[in-house]
Amino acid sequence: MTSATMDGSVTPAAEPKINWTFLILGFAGMVIGQFMAILDIQIVAASLPQIQSGIGASADEISWIQTAYLIPEVVMIPLSGYLSRLWGTQKVFLFSCGGFVLMSIAVGLSSSVEVMIFFRAIQGFVGGAMIPTVFAVAFTAFPPSKRVTASVFIGLIVTLAPTVGPTLGGHLTEMLSWRWLFFINVPFGLLSFFLVWRYANFDKGDPSLSKGFDWLGLGLMAAFLMSMQFVLEEGSKNDWFADDQILLLSVIAGICGPAFIWRSLVYWNPVVELRAFNNRNFLVGVIMTFAVGAALFGGTFLMPLFLARVRDYSPAEVGTTMVVSGLAMFLTGPFAGRLVRILDLRILMFGGFMLCAWGMWDAHAVTTEWGFWEFAGVQAVRGVGVMLVMIAAQQVTMSTLPPHMVKNASGLVNLFRNVGGAFGLAFLNTSLTTNTALHMSELTQAIPQTDARMQEMLTGMTAMMSGSIDPQGAAMKAVYGMLQRQATTLAFGDAFAMLAIGCAFAAFVTLLARPVKPGTGTPPPMDAH
C-alpha cells in the first residue's frame, strides 16, 4: 500500500496496528495443535507390539494403526485451504482440533483393532487441517519483518515432532500404557482449542465460495491421493505390482490424478487452486519441500530401524540415540533464522542439502557395531542441514505469493512434504528388501561351505552347540544369522548412500530459484516485458 504526499511524492502506507498479545497467544495455540497432529503420525511407531497385544491384532492388522491415520490426512491437508477461505481459519482450526481430541479419546478407549482403525482414520482426517493452517497464518497474520521468526517456530515443530515421536511414545508406553499415546492429546488439545478460540480470530470466511462447490473435483482428489498414499505405504510389503490390490489402486491413482488436475484448471471454483505453480519460486520451493520430506522422514526411518533390527536396541535405547538429531535441529533454529535475514536463500538451501548429503554419506559406511556415538555425528550434521533447508524453503516457497493464494499454497506445500516422505519411505523399504537379498546371495557365494575357514567355523560352533538336539543344524542356523546380519547392514549402507545422492541432487535444483532478498523472501523486480 502507498499514499501520496502534498508535494506529489509517494510514501509507504503504515502497517496496520497489530494486537501482539492476541497474535502470539493465538499462533501459539495453533502451533500446539500442529505439533500434536504431526507427532501422532510417529508416536505409535515404537509401541506397535504393545498395542497389538493389547487389542489382539495380527501383524498385518497392526500396521494399519499408522496407515489409517495417514491416508485420510493426505486428503484434508489440501482441502483445508478451501475450507479456510470459506469458513475462516479460526473456525476450521477449532473444528479440526475439537474433532482430533474426541477421536484421540475414542482411539485410546478402543477394545478391538477394527474400532481403533475406524476412529484412527477419522482422527487423521479431522486433524489434518491443523497442519497447513499454521503455515498460512505465519505468512498472512504476521508482518513481513516477523515472518522469519514465525517460520523458525514452524520449522522446529515440523522437524522435531516426527523425531521425538517414537522416543516419547516408547517412554509413555513403558511408564503408563499404550493408551496414553492417545490420551496425552487431550490436555494439550484443550489448551490449543482455548487459545485459538480466545485469541486467533485472524480473518473472516467468504460464504459465497460455497456456491458451486466442486464435488467432482473433491472426489477425484480423494481417490487420487488416498490410492497413491495406500500404494506408497503398503506397496513394498506386498511386492508392489505383483499384488492385485496395489496394481488396481495404482491404475486408479494414474487416472484420477490427471483428471483432478484437469478439473482444477477448468472449473471456476476449484477445491484446490493450482495457479500458484505459475510462480517459479513456489514451484522450486515445492520440489525442495518434497525433498525435505524424503530427507527428514527417510533419515528418521533408517536409523531407528537399523538400531532395532541389527543392534537389538529397545525403544528407550533407540530414543536416547535419536535425541541428537532433535537437539541439533532445535539449536540450529534460531541460528538459521538469523542466516535467512542476511544470506541469499538459495545459498542456505544449497548448503543445507549438502550437509544432509554429507551426513547420510558418512552413514553409508555403517557396520554392525555402530551405536550412539557413531550415529551422533551423522545425526548432528543431518539435523543442522534439514533445519536450514526447511526454514529457507518456507521463505522461498510462500513469501513471493500474493496473500489470496497463501491458504491454498500452504496446503500444497504440506501435501508435498508428506508425499515426499511417503515416496522416500517406500523407496527405502524396497531398497532394503532387495539389497539385503542381493548381499546375502553375494556373501553365500563368496564363502562356500567347502571353504576351509567355513568348515573350521562350523566345527567350532557345532562343538559349542553340543547340548542342543541338532548341534550341526543349530550351528548352520547361527552362521546363517551372522551372514543375514551382515547383509542387512550392507543394505542399510546402500540406503544411506542413496539418500545422500538424492540430497546432493536436490542441492543443485535449489539454484533454479530466482534470487531472493535476505530477510524478506521477496524476489528482485523483473524487467517489464
Side-chain angles (χ1 to χ4, degrees):
M1 294 286 292
T2 59
S3 60
T5 62
M6 293 182 64
D7 62 1
S9 62
V10 177
T11 59
E15 288 184 353
K17 188 174 179 59
I18 295 173
N19 187 327
W20 284 103
T21 301
F22 275 60
L23 177 57
I24 291 173
L25 289 175
F27 184 69
M30 297 184 74
V31 166
I32 293 170
Q34 182 192 43
F35 183 81
M36 290 191 307
I38 299 176
L39 182 74
D40 252 56
I41 300 171
Q42 294 291 338
I43 197 170
V44 301
S47 305
L48 288 177
Q50 290 84 351
I51 299 175
Q52 182 179 349
S53 61
I55 58 176
S58 68
D60 290 335
E61 290 172 331
I62 200 62
S63 65
W64 274 91
I65 301 302
Q66 283 180 293
T67 304
Y69 184 91
L70 290 169
I71 291 178
E73 182 194 48
V74 83
V75 177
M76 175 55 84
I77 286 175
L79 179 61
S80 64
Y82 183 92
L83 296 178
S84 294
R85 291 186 293 127
L86 174 65
W87 295 333
T89 302
Q90 184 186 45
K91 289 181 180 178
V92 171
F93 192 94
L94 290 176
F95 165 79
S96 179
C97 184
F100 184 82
V101 170
L102 290 175
M103 289 304 104
S104 295
I105 297 172
V107 173
L109 294 175
S110 298
S111 56
S112 70
V113 66
E114 293 83 9
V115 171
M116 176 175 278
I117 289 172
F118 174 75
F119 286 126
R120 183 75 167 152
I122 301 176
Q123 183 193 30
F125 180 73
V126 297
M130 289 193 286
I131 299 172
T133 50
V134 180
F135 279 82
V137 166
F139 288 91
T140 54
F142 283 86
S145 60
K146 302 297 182 184
R147 287 173 187 167
V148 172
T149 303
S151 292
V152 169
F153 280 103
I154 292 175
L156 286 172
I157 295 303
V158 170
T159 52
L160 278 177
T163 303
V164 304
T167 306
L168 178 61
H171 286 298
L172 274 175
T173 301
E174 289 183 7
M175 290 189 298
L176 299 169
S177 78
W178 63 264
R179 296 186 186 275
W180 278 92
L181 301 175
F182 310 103
F183 293 154
I184 193 66
N185 291 327
V186 176
F188 293 102
L190 293 176
L191 175 61
S192 173
F193 189 94
F194 171 77
L195 290 174
V196 173
W197 168 74
R198 180 68 179 83
Y199 300 107
N201 189 16
F202 299 130
D203 55 27
K204 302 295 181 183
D206 181 5
S208 67
L209 290 173
S210 61
K211 298 176 182 178
F213 181 80
D214 188 12
W215 291 104
L216 175 58
L218 176 61
L220 291 171
M221 181 182 76
F224 164 55
L225 292 177
M226 293 178 73
S227 298
M228 179 180 65
Q229 187 74 16
F230 182 90
V231 169
L232 293 173
E233 289 289 326
E234 303 295 320
S236 61
K237 304 173 189 175
N238 301 329
D239 198 19
W240 293 105
F241 301 126
D243 182 85
D244 290 342
Q245 188 178 35
I246 296 295
L247 180 61
L248 174 62
L249 290 175
S250 299
V251 172
I252 292 174
I255 294 173
C256 292
F260 163 65
I261 294 173
W262 169 81
R263 179 68 175 180
S264 298
L265 293 174
V266 301
Y267 193 66
W268 67 275
N269 186 24
V271 173
V272 177
E273 178 59 72
L274 300 180
R275 284 182 297 175
F277 285 103
N278 289 329
N279 182 302
R280 192 171 93 183
N281 274 17
F282 180 80
L283 178 59
V284 173
V286 161
I287 296 173
M288 294 303 94
T289 302
F290 182 94
V292 167
L296 174 62
F297 291 106
T300 306
F301 163 76
L302 284 178
M303 292 181 205
L305 189 63
F306 173 85
L307 293 170
R309 188 178 292 181
V310 176
R311 296 301 308 276
D312 296 320
Y313 275 26
S314 68
E317 289 174 320
V318 171
T320 302
T321 305
M322 291 298 295
V323 77
V324 176
S325 180
L327 185 61
M329 294 175 188
F330 186 80
L331 295 176
T332 304
F335 179 65
R338 290 189 178 92
L339 290 178
V340 165
R341 293 182 172 93
I342 60 176
L343 290 179
D344 186 327
L345 299 181
R346 297 175 302 170
I347 296 175
L348 273 185
M349 290 194 295
F350 182 86
F353 272 122
M354 291 306 289
L355 283 174
C356 290
W358 178 16
M360 293 296 95
W361 185 256
D362 280 350
H364 94 284
V366 63
T367 71
T368 55
E369 303 303 316
W370 274 40
F372 178 88
W373 291 110
E374 288 80 7
F375 276 118
V378 169
Q379 291 188 85
V381 173
R382 170 184 160 272
V384 171
V386 167
M387 181 56 70
L388 289 176
V389 174
M390 177 75 71
I391 296 175
Q394 286 174 13
Q395 296 299 308
V396 169
T397 307
M398 302 294 292
S399 295
T400 58
L401 292 173
H404 69 276
M405 287 189 178
V406 167
K407 290 182 179 179
N408 263 318
S410 176
L412 291 170
V413 169
N414 285 274
L415 173 66
F416 270 79
R417 187 184 63 251
N418 280 23
V419 172
F423 264 96
L425 296 188
F427 180 76
L428 293 172
N429 253 323
T430 303
S431 168
L432 286 174
T433 302
T434 304
N435 287 343
T436 297
L438 178 63
H439 287 302
M440 189 64 181
S441 175
E442 292 172 348
L443 288 173
T444 52
Q445 290 176 14
I447 313 175
Q449 291 190 27
T450 54
D451 184 81
R453 288 175 297 177
M454 174 60 77
Q455 289 293 334
E456 185 179 345
M457 179 184 290
L458 282 172
T459 301
M461 296 191 74
T462 301
M464 291 174 59
M465 306 284 185
S466 58
S468 62
I469 299 175
D470 181 12
Q472 189 171 7
M476 287 290 294
K477 185 176 180 180
V479 170
Y480 178 85
M482 292 168 58
L483 293 175
Q484 182 71 23
R485 186 166 178 252
Q486 186 61 41
T488 302
T489 302
L490 292 171
F492 271 99
D494 295 339
F496 282 121
M498 285 186 283
L499 204 52
I501 293 169
C503 288
F505 176 78
F508 287 95
V509 177
T510 63
L511 303 179
L512 298 176
R514 289 177 59 199
V516 178
K517 295 178 182 178
T520 64
T522 305
M526 297 181 68
D527 295 332
H529 296 288

